[in-house]
């Protein structure tokens, strides 16, 4: 009986140990893995919380920077006209006469509009700038002014174009000297000035038509400013 009792006890002990092993294998280890995963998740969350805490602490500075960037974008875009039309090229030439820069224009060659680059509408909308929702396009249009002028008039012409309030650029200047007619007139230059006009579309800004003034029909002497005599 004693041996039988010992055998039963041993069997119960082994069975209990086996059950404990199974519990350890399938329960404890499972909870251990979940605990490790939770620790890893907590570490990630803690890092994210710390990151957000830093961002929250810098929120006022970030809002200020966003406001400054938004203002800067609007100011830069506002300097560009909404379109470049033929009348703008003609207006520039007439403006030089209005400033008494008596250059003689032989011809004005106006090129087509070219799209330099664009910003898709979804990118514009993601920026969150009030008033900007459509695709923004950056346009250029090249104009060639073929003319004759004295050296001093040519310099004044270039100065006048450079101080234009809207976005234009002189891209090329080419002149050749002609024989002078008299000692008083000096050397006459014959050449071209290439000017590139720029515009931005999609900003909601409207094109402003040009207003032209009256100019005398003819000029007697191109370089002294006197009007043509009948």
């Amino acid at each position: 009986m004693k041996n039988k009792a010992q055998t039963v006890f041993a069997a119960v002990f082994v069975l209990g140990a086996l059950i404990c092993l199974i519990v350890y294998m399938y329960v404890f280890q499972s909870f251990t893995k979940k605990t490790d995963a939770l620790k890893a998740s907590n570490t990630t969350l803690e890092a994210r919380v710390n990151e957000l805490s830093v961002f929250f602490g810098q929120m006022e500075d970030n809002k200020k920077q966003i406001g400054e960037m938004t203002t800067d974008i609007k100011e830069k875009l506002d300097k560009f006209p909404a379109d470049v039309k033929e009348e703008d090229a003609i207006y520039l030439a007439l403006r030089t006469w209005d400033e008494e820069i008596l250059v003689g224009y032989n011809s004005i060659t106006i090129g087509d509009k070219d799209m330099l680059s664009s910003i898709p509408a979804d990118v514009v909308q993601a920026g969150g700038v009030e008033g900007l929702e459509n695709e923004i396009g950056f346009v250029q249009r090249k104009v060639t002014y073929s003319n004759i002028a004295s050296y001093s008039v040519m310099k004044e012409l270039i100065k006048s174009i450079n101080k234009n309030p809207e976005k234009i650029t002189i891209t090329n200047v080419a002149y050749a000297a002609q024989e002078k007619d008299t000692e008083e007139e000096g050397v006459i230059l014959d050449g071209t000035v290439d000017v590139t006009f720029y515009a931005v579309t999609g900003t909601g800004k409207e094109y402003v038509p040009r207003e032209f003034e009256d100019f005398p029909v003819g000029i007697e002497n191109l370089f002294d400013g006197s009007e043509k005599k009948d």
Side-chain angles (χ1 to χ4, degrees):
M1 291 294 294
K2 186 177 180 179
N3 291 335
K4 185 178 180 180
Q6 289 178 344
T7 302
V8 172
F9 177 77
V12 172
F13 178 80
V14 172
L15 180 60
L18 183 59
I19 292 174
C20 289
L21 180 61
I22 292 173
V23 171
Y24 175 80
M25 290 286 292
Y26 293 97
V27 179
F28 182 77
Q29 282 190 350
S30 176
F31 277 105
T32 300
K33 290 180 180 179
K34 290 181 180 179
T35 301
D36 292 340
L38 186 58
K39 287 182 179 179
S41 177
N42 287 340
T43 301
T44 303
L45 290 174
E46 183 179 3
R48 180 60 175 164
V49 169
N50 291 336
E51 181 183 352
L52 292 175
S53 296
V54 173
F55 180 81
F56 182 79
Q58 298 174 342
M59 185 175 292
E60 291 303 319
D61 290 337
N62 291 334
K63 287 182 178 179
K64 182 180 178 182
Q65 291 181 13
I66 290 172
E68 291 174 350
M69 292 172 65
T70 300
T71 300
D72 186 54
I73 290 171
K74 288 185 175 180
E75 288 179 350
K76 281 183 168 57
L77 292 177
D78 191 55
K79 293 179 181 179
F80 291 87
D83 197 1
V84 179
K85 297 186 178 182
E86 289 79 1
E87 61 189 76
D88 296 300
I90 297 171
Y91 181 84
L92 179 63
L94 294 178
R95 198 196 73 196
T96 59
W97 284 354
D98 189 46
E99 296 174 356
E100 299 183 354
I101 302 172
L102 300 180
V103 58
Y105 292 104
N106 296 320
S107 64
I108 301 175
T109 305
I110 304 173
D112 296 328
K113 300 175 188 177
D114 295 322
M115 182 70 73
L116 289 174
S117 62
S118 62
I119 303 175
D122 58 339
V123 176
V124 174
Q125 293 168 6
V129 179
E130 185 179 357
L132 299 180
E133 299 176 352
N134 302 316
E135 179 183 42
I136 295 177
F138 298 87
V139 180
Q140 71 173 8
R141 194 168 195 177
K142 296 182 179 180
V143 180
T144 298
Y145 297 91
S146 177
N147 62 88
I148 57 175
S150 67
Y151 180 69
S152 59
V153 169
M154 183 265 291
K155 290 195 299 181
E156 291 301 317
L157 172 64
I158 293 174
K159 287 180 182 178
S160 175
I161 296 175
N162 279 330
K163 70 180 182 181
N164 191 75
E166 294 178 338
K167 289 294 184 180
I168 63 175
T169 302
I170 295 177
T171 52
N172 187 57
V173 176
Y175 280 93
Q178 296 181 343
E179 292 184 2
K180 58 186 179 181
D181 293 336
T182 65
E183 291 295 331
E184 291 77 16
E185 284 182 337
V187 177
I188 297 176
L189 301 176
D190 185 357
T192 59
V193 178
D194 295 331
V195 178
T196 301
F197 291 73
Y198 298 97
V200 176
T201 62
T203 63
K205 188 176 182 179
E206 294 184 359
Y207 176 78
V208 180
R210 297 293 186 177
E211 295 182 1
F212 294 93
E213 298 179 1
D214 294 331
F215 286 87
V217 176
I219 296 177
E220 179 183 29
N221 187 319
L222 182 63
F223 304 109
D224 66 10
S226 60
E227 295 184 9
K228 183 178 179 179
K229 297 178 181 179
D230 295 330

